[in-house]
Amino acid sequence: MLRLAVLASGGGSNLQAIIDATERGEIDARVVLVISNNSDCGALARAGKHGIEALHLSGRQFPGQAEFDAGLLEALAEHEVDLVILAGYMKLLSPTVVKAYRNRILNIHPALLPCFGGREMYGMRVHQAVIESGAKFSGVTVHVVDEKYDHGPIVAQRVVPVHQDDTAENLAQRVLIQEHKIYPQVIQLFAENRVRVEGNHVRIHSAG
Ligand code: GRF
């Protein structure tokens, strides 16, 4: 049973999809901790409803980055977390945290990386940029987290069509449906120990 910590800043629909998959027994994992930098976000409320420990951890509670990192790493260690799941978490993790959980932190991005990612590319901005680019396809990317925003070896992607009359909101909804499917699937690959990171490449080994 893989022990997950989910870090989220917003509504937490991806968190919910993961919790639901664990409760339905579809994935061999359990969310043991939810952490947010935002005390009144939907993600913390969702955790509470499911009896999952919810922790508000913000840089403002600590004198500096090193102390914040220590607080975060302590919470992860206390809960014996195997895999850290970023699901709409708006903060860049420091190199200290990335190093401590190297290849064991995942992020989901609502477009096909390496396009339409980076520091300013979040929320509706991503979908707006895709539409403005004239691209016919967008999608979802789950990747291993490294020291940069929306960067790191890609574990899985799903393609989502862009319709010619799409608004950013329509596209976001279509993409989100795929996000909710792919994240639990990727977590299950980790639960089955089938994922190997080799440089910039992620290899998925066959089951059994
Ligand atoms: C998702 O679109 C995810 O790809 C991005 O942030 C959004 C979070 O949505 N990183 P939610 O809070 O899971 O509903």
Side-chain angles (χ1 to χ4, degrees):
M1 180 75 66
L2 207 59
R3 296 173 65 84
L4 310 175
V6 179
L7 275 58
S9 304
S13 73
N14 276 287
L15 165 67
Q16 189 68 52
I18 293 165
I19 294 172
D20 291 347
T22 63
E23 290 186 350
R24 287 197 295 258
E26 288 168 8
I27 60 176
D28 196 19
R30 195 158 72 104
V31 181
V32 295
L33 179 63
V34 173
I35 298 176
S36 181
N37 57 313
N38 179 0
S39 61
D40 63 354
C41 72
L44 289 182
R46 289 181 197 266
K49 273 190 203 143
H50 289 265
I52 297 166
E53 189 165 340
L55 189 61
H56 171 225
L57 218 53
S58 145
R60 273 172 278 172
Q61 298 160 329
F62 298 89
Q65 185 68 46
E67 291 83 357
F68 172 83
D69 289 347
L72 175 57
L73 289 175
E74 193 183 312
L76 296 176
E78 246 174 40
H79 290 79
E80 297 178 10
V81 168
D82 300 306
L83 194 63
V84 177
I85 303 294
L86 306 188
Y89 187 64
M90 298 298 286
K91 297 280 174 187
L92 185 67
L93 293 176
S94 77
T96 306
V97 174
V98 172
K99 194 174 164 205
Y101 282 81
R102 177 72 68 196
N103 295 342
R104 293 194 294 147
I105 309 175
L106 302 178
N107 182 43
I108 190 161
H109 186 73
L112 295 174
L113 294 175
C115 291
F116 305 109
R119 191 187 176 86
E120 302 298 323
M121 278 292 171
Y122 57 88
M124 282 304 152
R125 291 179 184 204
V126 178
H127 305 292
Q128 198 60 52
V130 169
I131 288 171
E132 281 168 17
S133 77
K136 302 293 187 197
F137 292 95
S138 187
V140 182
T141 303
V142 176
H143 66 95
V144 172
V145 168
D146 67 8
E147 287 77 3
K148 299 180 197 158
Y149 277 105
D150 299 329
H151 193 263
I154 293 171
V155 184
Q157 292 184 305
R158 292 287 178 276
V159 172
V160 173
V162 180
H163 297 161
Q164 56 186 4
D165 50 356
D166 260 345
T167 60
E169 287 75 15
N170 288 342
L171 179 58
Q173 277 177 18
R174 201 175 309 118
V175 168
L176 200 57
I177 291 169
Q178 297 307 320
E179 293 187 42
H180 296 165
K181 291 183 186 165
I182 196 175
Y183 227 174
Q185 288 170 0
V186 167
I187 291 166
Q188 181 60 14
L189 292 176
F190 276 83
E192 293 173 6
N193 196 22
R194 291 171 56 192
V195 183
R196 296 285 176 278
V197 182
E198 297 168 14
N200 205 30
H201 295 256
V202 174
R203 295 193 189 285
I204 310 294
H205 292 265
S206 47

